Amino acid sequence: MRKNSLKNTRINGEVHRVLAEIIRSDIKDPRIHPMTSVVAVTVAPDLKTCKAWISVLGDEKAQEDTLAGLKSAGGYIRKELARQINLRNTPEITFVMDQSIAYGVDMSKKIDEVMAGHSSGD
């Protein structure tokens, strides 16, 4: 199966949707920040592995705690994924922290600061 085939794209979308729902409503781990979102999911063509990019709205400690909580709940998440999506194999999920949203917010603040400093010098 090609990496970006229609079937693989559909599987990625379905796993993304179900994974987001499991994290949002099923996991009760207090380490997982309430503002955690699944940014993207890539399932390997052989369905054995899956990479899930996670974004957490919070400080670095909240991000680390959320990642630790998700890793410890990995078995439960995988079991729920298998129950909700009928795949030949249920992928082993690797959670990766996605910094793109935080980076965008930080850049936006810096641009605002530069523009504020620039306009006062006129």
Side-chain angles (χ1 to χ4, degrees):
M1 179 166 46
R2 288 188 331 271
K3 191 173 175 78
N4 55 359
S5 70
L6 187 62
K7 181 179 177 189
N8 198 270
T9 303
R10 240 186 9 248
I11 290 171
N12 286 345
E14 187 65 11
V15 170
H16 184 172
R17 186 185 64 75
V18 172
L19 194 58
E21 183 59 34
I22 292 169
I23 291 170
R24 185 172 45 251
S25 56
D26 292 356
I27 300 176
K28 304 292 183 242
D29 192 321
R31 292 176 293 184
I32 298 174
H33 196 276
M35 295 297 286
T36 300
S37 57
V38 180
V39 178
V41 171
T42 306
V43 180
D46 64 0
L47 305 177
K48 289 198 176 6
T49 59
C50 167
K51 224 176 213 182
W53 282 268
I54 305 296
S55 178
V56 177
L57 198 66
D59 60 0
E60 222 170 283
K61 173 141 177 48
Q63 292 176 0
E64 288 169 11
D65 289 351
T66 298
L67 217 46
L70 288 172
K71 282 180 181 166
S72 75
Y76 171 77
I77 293 170
R78 192 170 180 210
K79 189 180 80 188
E80 278 301 302
L81 208 57
R83 195 176 63 77
Q84 295 183 38
I85 304 176
N86 186 18
L87 294 173
R88 188 173 63 245
N89 297 320
T90 302
E92 188 69 46
I93 305 164
T94 304
F95 292 102
V96 181
M97 192 54 67
D98 180 44
Q99 304 292 356
S100 61
I101 295 173
Y103 178 77
V105 169
D106 190 45
M107 281 314 227
S108 182
K109 282 182 188 168
K110 287 180 180 172
I111 290 168
D112 289 346
E113 288 170 8
V114 168
M115 294 309 286
H118 184 71
S119 63
S120 64
D122 288 338

